[in-house]
Amino acid sequence: PRYGLIQPGAMEVANMEKGMHHYYMDAWAILGLRVAAEAANALGLAPDQDLFAQEARDLKMSLHKSFEQTFRRMGLYDGQLWYGVEEKGEGMYGFWGHTPLVWPTGAIEPHDPMLTATIRMMERMANQWGGGLYSDAAGSCWPYISVDWAISYILRGEPEKTLDFFCAFTDAAGLSY
């Protein structure tokens, strides 16, 4: 499942020698390559535009293949994308890394069934611990991480869930969650 993915970076791995991959980093690399292609196009650099666009497509395809290999099926209609390639991670390794997969990175299609299952699981976590905002444990609430997720709901055709996030964010800003 590592084939074609970028190498692990310092953000998600406390010990670089462990060689762990967090899908979050690949998602942002896809966005970076797409933006580089747009910039090259704006500058009239067609060969560079083609190169960056192809690299973005290749990385997105490699990421999806890795998702397919590491998806954790929990039941007939239940499962989740894992954090990254490895079973266990070190450092900042968690489900929060899935919040920007649709927006702004475009790393996965909005209605991919693996993402939909993952969102269901993350919604349960958010409702249980975070007052509707992303949360990965009791006593935690991550409003800024939730923003990517909220905008992704618009792209998924679920604007009412974006409104729910806005209301939860407003509640959290007033420390009432």
Side-chain angles (χ1 to χ4, degrees), residues 35-49:
V35 170
E38 291 170 8
N41 184 51
L43 294 171
L45 304 172
D48 290 339
Q49 187 272 332

Side-chain angles (χ1 to χ4, degrees), residues 149-161:
W149 193 12
I151 295 171
S152 295
Y153 276 126
I154 294 170
L155 298 174
R156 288 175 50 85
E158 301 174 288
E160 70 284 353
K161 290 187 177 182

